[in-house]
Amino acid sequence: MTTPLDRLKAEVCALHAELLRWGLVAWTSGNVSGRLPGSELMVIKPSGLSYDELTPEQMIVCDLDGKVVEGELSPSSDTAAHAYVYRNRPDVGGVVHTHSPYATAWSAVGEPIPCAITAMGDEFGDDIPVGPFALIGDDSIGQGIVATLDGHRSPAVLMRQHGVFTIGKNAKAAVKAAVMCEDVARTVHLARQLGPVSRLPQQDIDRLYDRYQNVYGQAPAAPAQASAAPAPAQAPVTVGSEGEPA
Ligand SMILES: [Zn+2]
């Protein structure tokens, strides 16, 4: 029988392939973790293994102090940062770290990515902020992530002269944020080559963010036994399709 922990290991393992698929990582430089809902446990990638040899069984289970609870291998060297985020943000169920090139370039110059296109208003609801420079080894990176994202709409932070950390309600949402962060980092960079870039007016950012977070996408599937019933008049109106805001 598969347990919730088994399913989380399989999910976290599979999501590492998405980092490769979307061009966010070179060699073994990124990692995904997920919190086991309702527990003090997280699942994270083992350190130094290439993405195409990862298996669910190799995933490391840690407590929220980053101590290994289950697994043969050493956990990712970024485990302390992930664990700090889970300890301090009970709402977070997934964390991703990458050195994706465009976003990391913005981090290298220490400049937030301005919220200059509607896709950023949708997904980030603000500029993507820059967090402090911090070296690996203790809680400094985790503290910088939490301090920067606290009260911020953006699920992504550019840790100065390092790379991207993203958070989400689960591991998949954090991976999506990492993909979108790199996408907008690239687009806004390209725009800069063509001319000055201006931030969207705040009221438009607010409207975009509100609509995307609350209305956009497919309504949850109706229970099977109710599928033949007419939709209630107050059913939320949904528009567009995944990945194509309309
Ligand atoms: Zn890193």
Side-chain angles (χ1 to χ4, degrees), residues 78 97 99 162:
D78 294 301
H97 173 48
H99 303 158
H162 179 176

Side-chain angles (χ1 to χ4, degrees), residues 190-206:
L190 292 173
R192 277 272 187 94
Q193 315 313 302
L194 299 171
V197 167
S198 47
R199 191 175 191 269
L200 291 167
Q202 187 63 46
Q203 77 233 36
D204 293 331
I205 295 172
D206 292 345

Side-chain angles (χ1 to χ4, degrees), residues 29-31 77-78 97-99 136 141 162-165:
S29 65
N31 39 69
S77 49
D78 294 301
H97 173 48
T98 81
H99 303 158
I136 204 162
I141 293 178
H162 179 176
V164 180
F165 280 84

Side-chain angles (χ1 to χ4, degrees), residues 199-221:
R199 191 175 191 269
L200 291 167
Q202 187 63 46
Q203 77 233 36
D204 293 331
I205 295 172
D206 292 345
R207 287 183 61 191
L208 287 162
Y209 184 75
D210 180 63
R211 176 192 150 280
Y212 188 75
Q213 301 298 323
N214 297 312
V215 180
Y216 169 73
Q218 306 299 318

Side-chain angles (χ1 to χ4, degrees), residues 37-239:
S39 81
E40 296 286 297
L41 297 174
M42 59 181 259
V43 169
I44 193 164
K45 171 184 175 291
S47 181
L49 264 68
S50 78
Y51 298 103
D52 50 12
E53 61 186 357
L54 291 179
T55 65
E57 296 72 33
Q58 290 169 330
M59 296 297 114
I60 311 297
V61 183
C62 293
D63 66 20
L64 297 190
D65 290 314
K67 192 163 140 288
V68 175
V69 174
E70 185 188 315
E72 306 286 314
L73 303 162
S74 303
S76 161
S77 49
D78 294 301
T79 298
H82 291 243
Y84 186 92
V85 174
Y86 292 122
R87 281 205 308 283
N88 290 279
R89 287 285 302 261
D91 57 315
V92 170
V95 178
V96 171
H97 173 48
T98 81
H99 303 158
S100 64
Y102 284 91
T104 301
W106 286 87
S107 89
V109 295
E111 187 179 344
I113 305 173
C115 188
I117 49 178
T118 59
M120 275 192 81
D122 288 343
E123 188 71 30
F124 299 93
D126 204 336
D127 304 343
I128 298 179
V130 175
F133 178 73
L135 287 176
I136 204 162
D138 56 17
D139 277 343
S140 310
I141 293 178
Q143 286 170 5
I145 298 165
V146 169
T148 308
L149 293 184
D150 203 23
H152 206 290
R153 284 172 179 166
S154 171
V157 51
L158 311 173
M159 291 301 284
R160 187 180 286 266
Q161 290 170 283
H162 179 176
V164 180
F165 280 84
T166 60
I167 58 175
K169 66 181 191 297
N170 53 38
K172 185 178 178 186
V175 170
K176 182 190 175 195
V179 172
M180 300 307 280
C181 178
E182 180 64 3
D183 187 54
V184 300
R186 179 169 175 269
T187 303
V188 178
H189 166 75
L190 292 173
R192 277 272 187 94
Q193 315 313 302
L194 299 171
V197 167
S198 47
R199 191 175 191 269
L200 291 167
Q202 187 63 46
Q203 77 233 36
D204 293 331
I205 295 172
D206 292 345
R207 287 183 61 191
L208 287 162
Y209 184 75
D210 180 63
R211 176 192 150 280
Y212 188 75
Q213 301 298 323
N214 297 312
V215 180
Y216 169 73
Q218 306 299 318
Q225 67 271 25
S227 60
Q234 72 275 27
V237 177
T238 60
V239 290

